[in-house]
Amino acid sequence: MSIQNGHTKHLNVAVVGGGLVGSLEALFLARRGHRVSLYEYREDIRKTPHVRGRSINLALSVRGRRALRDVGLEDIMIKEHGIPMRARMIHRPDGSTYSIPYDTRTNQCIYSVGRNYLNAVLLKESENYKNVTRHFNHKLLEANLPKGELKFVKMDTKETVSVDADLIVGTDGAFSAVRRAMLKQPLFDFSQQYIEHGYLELCIPPNCQGGFQMPPNYLHIWPRGNFMMIALPNQDCSWTVTLFMPFKNFKGIDSESKLLEFFEKYFPDSIPLIGEKKLIDDYFGGSPSPLITIKCRPYHVSDKAIIIGDAAHAVVPFYGQGMNAGFEDCTILNNLFQKHKDDLTQILAEFSNTRWQDAFAICDLAMYNYIEMRDLVTRPSYRIRKALDDLIYWISPDLWVPLYNSVTFSTMPYSQCVKNRQWQNKVLAIIIFAAGVFAFILLCWARR
Amino acid sequence: MSIQNGHTKHLNVAVVGGGLVGSLEALFLARRGHRVSLYEYREDIRKTPHVRGRSINLALSVRGRRALRDVGLEDIMIKEHGIPMRARMIHRPDGSTYSIPYDTRTNQCIYSVGRNYLNAVLLKESENYKNVTRHFNHKLLEANLPKGELKFVKMDTKETVSVDADLIVGTDGAFSAVRRAMLKQPLFDFSQQYIEHGYLELCIPPNCQGGFQMPPNYLHIWPRGNFMMIALPNQDCSWTVTLFMPFKNFKGIDSESKLLEFFEKYFPDSIPLIGEKKLIDDYFGGSPSPLITIKCRPYHVSDKAIIIGDAAHAVVPFYGQGMNAGFEDCTILNNLFQKHKDDLTQILAEFSNTRWQDAFAICDLAMYNYIEMRDLVTRPSYRIRKALDDLIYWISPDLWVPLYNSVTFSTMPYSQCVKNRQWQNKVLAIIIFAAGVFAFILLCWARR
């Protein structure tokens, strides 16, 4: 590749990482006329059989949908590949269930989509652009970000490939090699934090008729205090079941009898759905994966490199916002390309300076939501709060958007969602206090 | 090197980093009979002329002294190379001064010691041990920590050297290469955080008679709210002066006239001491360095590798505890070698599991003390609190140790120092409240 003038419309862009965010970002850049080379460490996902253990379905919500709409792919994802989930379905330990809708006012929903489906759709779409080339099996070896230089090794032939780009976009996920090169830059703040819980994937297969074994339009949750299990529906009528639990608890379940005892105690209704043998095979066939939160800043190196998506802000999965936040990065970056007429110096600096507050906010929100999902959701205080929230939201939808709704069903900046919640908490405290005083006065008056 | 049995007394230990903590740790290990190879990236500091800009003097306090005592070097450092500092000397903007003693009760002090002096003393002492070898100009290229394998390149000959150790001790500072290898270990939490302030070193030379230009037994501070300057005495009667300030302020002072105007406004008394020409030369001859905080855990990899000192917990310099905390690591590690009879599995795990709380605490304390030094110290509320603290400490020294004293003049675990401060705050709040109520009652009674 050759260096172009800063302000031309035909930049040579190297996108490192061909996952969801990388393949979407390639489309955004291609639509602006830039020449995009997309490098991916793995083989073309369209040619790979499913790898067990990696989260295979995701919850697509408004932020992700907006980005897909911008590249003309919202409808195909929603209509052909997405399964709407309109409510949480809570499973009690006795097997009984009840549901908590996501959005009582406008009946919005989140969509369960397959990671591989979505990635394949994005990659296939990129083939419609002559200015996008795809390079699979390319592992990043070295990066000189200030100079825009990359060196890859081809995993099959072991040949090395040198690349010289006007812009490097790092979309290579939570363990980003591009970000690793940024670690040496002066004044680069970085943190990686694991939680003490891991996750393990199980599966509920379709029934004999090839249909769903549970009502499909729900995100099923088995909240159990310090741990939980969830299930999201797949296109083939199976369910991806994920058990989240402290690593030490996983370690304690080290025999078939202990596993069955554990499931009979906490998730009895799931055993006939998963099947006893399959449960044992899947549990002992895998090992729990860790969950990490990544925060860093700045996201850019001069006018040459930027990281977005999980590479910039990996979150734990409990708000269903990892992919949505990454897709929103693409939207924001695209708007900045528009605003600054492809002037990289301004685009990258503004992205870095404005996005981190929202990225930090969603990292914290995702961590908080784990406690809500596995514990708080079962408590009366949670349901009272939610009822109050929904009531005021219903009365005054412009003024009062509950936290979950603003995060999931709006494009309000994440940091603003948090600030909203804070003043809502204060208002509710005052209302409850006033109601208490009023009740007390009423009582005194009635007793006279 | 060859692998030894786990419990033998003669482990082959590779210490990576020959700075203060590394060269001290080598002594501790050598005294236990282990074979120590000390690898240092730079040249032998005893042969190098002083490198400008790197902090050249440090405040040695009780924790550091205890470690030096254990290897028989406390007296030489204190008596021959240390300059006692018994109080802070505060310089007001008008040039007037007043002092705040560090320890009114037992008159303990901190010692200004030269980094190079101390490092040279430690390296020289290691030559008295036949089981220590020193390897300078060795840069770490690769580390396989779980296997205890290291690969260095010799900076002069470019020859590579492979090392196979029973134990790797990473003492290679805030930007540790050993720690970088740990980053890839599963469940390794890590954060690096820069502050928005940088530092620049200046110098007050000795006077014409070769003596000190300011009273020597003080740590001089020019607190100015959002920035500050400090000075520590050197053996040659010069002073190392350090200006701490937001980077953007450094950037704003871009001409000689602006520099002199700035100093005339905020540090007028320092100009004749430094000398106008020398001030200009030193200010524009250097560039401000960043300040970083590093937190991570765990500190070890199985029974093969451990990081200590700045590599494990780099702190900002405002509590004067960076070196002291690193030296305390050596003491603690040595006590664990004693306790567990050189059983590395137990030693490393216990160090990791117990030390991080204290390391995190001193990171936070150091960050807090910057605000105290540059701002709070000038406020009446600070002086009232300190007077109260000192009074209760004087009355009841066993029960009530003020925060600064517990950190600097005791070996109380740092996290315990913080907890102490928290209950002291509560007690003081109660006392002040009770005094207020008592005063109010007295007033009412007097008015009757």
Side-chain angles (χ1 to χ4, degrees), chain A residues 180 182-196 247 290-292 297, chain B residues 180 182-196 247 290-292 297:
Chain A
R180 203 179 308 136
M182 284 192 179
L183 259 184
K184 297 171 195 164
Q185 293 288 315
L187 304 180
F188 183 74
D189 284 351
F190 171 72
S191 87
Q192 66 177 45
Q193 197 193 350
Y194 288 91
I195 62 173
E196 286 174 10
F247 280 104
L291 294 159
I292 196 169
R297 61 180 286 221
Chain B
R180 203 177 311 136
M182 282 190 181
L183 260 183
K184 296 171 198 166
Q185 293 288 315
L187 303 180
F188 182 73
D189 283 351
F190 171 71
S191 87
Q192 66 178 44
Q193 195 193 354
Y194 287 91
I195 62 172
E196 285 172 10
F247 279 104
L291 295 160
I292 195 169
R297 61 181 287 220

Side-chain angles (χ1 to χ4, degrees), chain A residues 84-90 98-103 107-110 215-221 231 404 409:
Chain A
M85 299 183 289
R86 307 196 180 279
R88 305 170 186 89
M89 175 79 82
I90 309 291
Y98 61 97
S99 73
I100 308 175
Y102 283 121
D103 184 35
N107 203 23
Q108 290 191 84
C109 62
I110 55 180
N217 294 123
Y218 297 90
L219 195 160
H220 291 256
I221 311 180
Y404 189 89
F409 300 123

Side-chain angles (χ1 to χ4, degrees), chain B residues 36-54:
Chain B
V36 182
S37 305
L38 183 62
Y39 298 92
E40 166 57 38
Y41 170 48
R42 296 190 183 79
E43 211 189 340
D44 189 341
I45 202 161
R46 294 168 293 178
K47 297 174 187 166
T48 328
H50 168 60
V51 183
R52 190 183 173 282
R54 212 169 164 224

